[in-house]
């Protein structure tokens, strides 16, 4: 269905409001309690020498953090995204934009990102579109989206559960992998695939291995559950709300997906998000082999409180990660993933 601008804005504002509610979170399903770092009482390094630097293609990035795609295309989004972009550029985080779905039928919607890019030219910025939209728009259209915003990479997010429960959802996923391969060949920038909170299985990772994508963000259970969010948008006693409730705990944990993924060597980088609420959780995912860590909900809460609050939260994440490296005797992120740094309980 084609949404009116008013319907689109209402949906996006619903998403922000509901996604910040405690009930929409799945921390109890994260499996993080099974991961334990081995404390090093004699780290044999200096805290001042600990580095959390990472890289993205030829870019040296101060941190391994990514502001995960959150919101776009409504009255409040540009100011929120500009503050996120400025903080990301200043602190050395990559930023993924909110869904560019509105640009399919409204080319003017892309001006939000063009204005932000003009104000923050050195930001590493990733475009973003849903996998189900691949079936309804041409590869040339996506290339144009990416070029107009001067994107450094492009995210294709896949969210079948959310789409099938959403009032305005698009559920055409047939042929998406083939279209993804075409996009990878046409775009001159990296393509990243991500889930939105239900995880990516080893079987699906194997399918993606031949597509040429640059990275896959596992994005599993542990954070905001978009099936719950969509269910909350329906009247409480409605049939769609009851159906959504059935799928409250649907998905695979990021922890479980990472443990499965590290048993194989893939042609793409593995990234992780989903319930990253502090730098210690980020460190656990890095120790399991993830190369970049996405953060969303805590940053949305912070940016809505103001730029100072956002900066403080981002600094907290960075400091907690550095402390974890120091207390495991790891000078850098690569050393954190060495065998023996983290132990895994029964699974």
């Amino acid at each position: 269905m084609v949404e009116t601008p008013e319907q689109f804005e209402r949906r996006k504002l619903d998403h922000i409001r509901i996604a910040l509610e405690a009930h929409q979170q799945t921390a109890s399903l994260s499996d993080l309690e099974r991961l334990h770092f081995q404390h090093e009482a004699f780290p044999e390094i200096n805290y001042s020498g600990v580095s959390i630097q990472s890289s993205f293609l030829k870019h040296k990035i101060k941190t391994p953090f990514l502001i995960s795609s959150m919101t776009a295309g409504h009255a409040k989004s540009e100011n929120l995204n500009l503050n996120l972009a400025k903080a990301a550029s200043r602190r050395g985080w990559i930023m993924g934009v909110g869904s560019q779905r509105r640009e399919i039928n409204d080319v003017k919607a892309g001006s939000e990102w063009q204005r932000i890019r003009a104000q923050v030219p050195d930001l590493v910025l990733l475009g973003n579109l849903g996998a189900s939209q691949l079936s309804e728009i041409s590869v040339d259209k996506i290339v144009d989206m990416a070029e107009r915003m001067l994107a450094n990479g492009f995210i294709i997010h896949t969210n079948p559960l959310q789409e099938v429960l959403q009032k305005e959802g698009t559920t055409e996923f047939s042929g998406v992998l083939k279209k993804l391969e075409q996009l990878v060949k046409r775009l001159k920038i990296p393509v990243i695939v991500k889930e939105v909170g239900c995880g990516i299985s080893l079987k699906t990772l194997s399918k993606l291995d031949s597509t040429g994508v640059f990275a896959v963000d596992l994005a599993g259970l542990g954070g905001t559950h978009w099936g719950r969010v969509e269910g909350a948008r329906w009247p409480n006693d409605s049939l769609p709300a009851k159906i959504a409730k059935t799928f409250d705990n649907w998905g695979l944990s990021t922890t479980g997906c990472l443990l499965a993924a590290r048993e194989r060597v893939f042609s793409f980088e593995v990234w992780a998000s989903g319930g990253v609420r502090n730098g210690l959780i980020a460190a656990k995912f890095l120790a399991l082999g993830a190369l970049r860590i996405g953060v969303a909900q805590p940053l949305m809460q912070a940016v809505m409180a103001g730029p100072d609050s956002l900066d403080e939260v981002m600094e907290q994440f960075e400091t907690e990660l550095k402390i974890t490296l120091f207390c495991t005797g790891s000078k850098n992120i690569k050393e954190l993933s060495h065998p023996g740094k983290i132990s895994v309980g029964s699974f």
Side-chain angles (χ1 to χ4, degrees):
M1 65 174 288
V2 177
E3 293 176 278
T4 65
E6 293 77 17
Q7 290 172 322
F8 183 93
E9 291 209 12
R10 187 162 54 249
R11 174 166 63 88
K12 290 301 180 180
L13 291 171
D14 281 349
H15 283 170
I16 292 175
R17 174 179 55 82
I18 298 169
L20 296 177
E21 296 173 353
H23 177 68
Q24 317 313 333
Q25 311 305 309
T26 56
S28 62
L29 304 174
S30 69
D31 292 315
L32 284 166
E33 73 281 355
R34 304 185 184 191
L35 304 177
H36 304 281
F37 279 110
Q38 299 298 308
H39 174 64
E40 179 53 73
F42 293 94
E44 289 293 317
I45 57 175
N46 297 328
Y47 181 72
S48 61
V50 172
S51 170
I52 60 171
Q53 187 182 75
S54 68
S55 62
F56 179 76
L57 295 179
K58 297 179 181 179
H59 297 275
K60 290 293 182 183
I61 311 292
K62 293 178 184 176
T63 81
F65 291 112
L66 161 73
I67 297 179
S68 286
S69 307
M70 288 186 279
T71 189
H74 56 85
K76 296 182 180 180
S77 68
E78 186 162 343
N79 185 56
L80 293 175
N81 282 315
L82 179 58
N83 285 331
L84 287 166
K86 288 179 176 178
S89 176
R90 184 172 61 252
R91 304 204 64 92
W93 292 41
I94 289 176
M95 180 174 172
V97 309
S99 174
Q100 295 174 263
R101 176 171 166 182
R102 185 170 180 174
E103 293 178 43
I104 295 174
N105 300 301
D106 179 10
V107 70
K108 293 180 181 178
S111 62
E112 174 179 341
W113 302 117
Q114 292 168 32
R115 288 190 294 269
I116 289 173
R117 168 59 89 192
Q119 295 179 73
V120 197
D122 60 345
L123 173 67
V124 179
L125 191 65
L126 309 179
N128 174 32
L129 196 66
S132 59
Q133 275 78 64
L134 289 181
S135 62
E136 60 181 286
I137 108 179
S138 70
V139 169
D140 287 341
K141 178 92 171 179
I142 302 173
V143 171
D144 184 56
M145 284 182 185
E147 289 179 347
R148 281 189 284 111
M149 66 183 292
L150 300 178
N152 302 97
F154 206 92
I155 293 170
I156 296 297
H157 69 265
T158 181
N159 58 340
L161 180 66
Q162 181 184 11
E163 294 289 358
V164 79
L165 296 176
Q166 186 181 106
K167 297 177 184 180
E168 311 84 356
T170 53
T171 55
E172 289 72 34
F173 279 79
S174 178
V176 163
L177 282 174
K178 184 177 180 179
K179 196 72 173 285
L180 179 64
E181 288 184 40
Q182 294 171 2
L183 180 63
V184 169
K185 291 175 182 176
R186 281 280 286 108
L187 271 178
K188 297 177 182 178
I189 54 176
V191 174
I192 298 97
V193 170
K194 80 179 296 292
E195 237 289 347
V196 301
C198 289
I200 298 181
S201 69
L202 187 59
K203 180 180 178 181
T204 303
L205 289 174
S206 298
K207 290 181 182 178
L208 291 168
D209 203 23
S210 61
T211 61
V213 298
F214 174 78
V216 177
D217 183 347
L218 301 175
L221 286 174
T224 304
H225 193 283
W226 288 95
R228 296 187 187 189
V229 171
E230 297 301 344
R233 296 181 62 224
W234 292 95
N236 285 335
D237 59 348
S238 67
L239 180 59
K242 293 175 183 176
I243 292 171
K245 186 72 176 174
T246 301
F247 294 90
D248 257 7
N249 297 335
W250 181 268
L252 308 167
S253 72
T254 305
T255 303
C257 293
L258 275 169
L259 288 170
R262 72 175 183 171
E263 298 300 317
R264 290 270 304 276
V265 176
F266 294 103
S267 59
F268 47 75
E269 290 187 358
V270 173
W271 296 4
S273 60
V276 181
R277 299 294 182 254
N278 54 60
L280 177 57
I281 293 174
K284 288 183 175 183
F285 290 166
L286 290 165
L288 291 183
L291 294 181
R292 189 153 306 279
I293 305 299
V295 185
Q297 195 251 27
L299 301 182
M300 179 56 71
Q301 283 185 320
V303 74
M304 292 181 74
D308 290 343
S309 177
L310 175 62
D311 198 70
E312 181 178 310
V313 168
M314 294 172 80
E315 182 176 358
Q316 180 179 339
F317 270 79
E318 295 163 18
T319 303
E320 289 167 345
L321 175 56
K322 284 189 70 175
I323 290 172
T324 307
L325 264 66
F326 179 62
C327 290
T328 56
S330 308
K331 294 192 296 291
N332 51 51
I333 292 169
K334 185 176 181 179
E335 289 189 3
L336 185 67
S337 62
H338 287 179
K341 297 284 185 175
I342 194 168
S343 59
V344 183
S346 58
F347 214 88

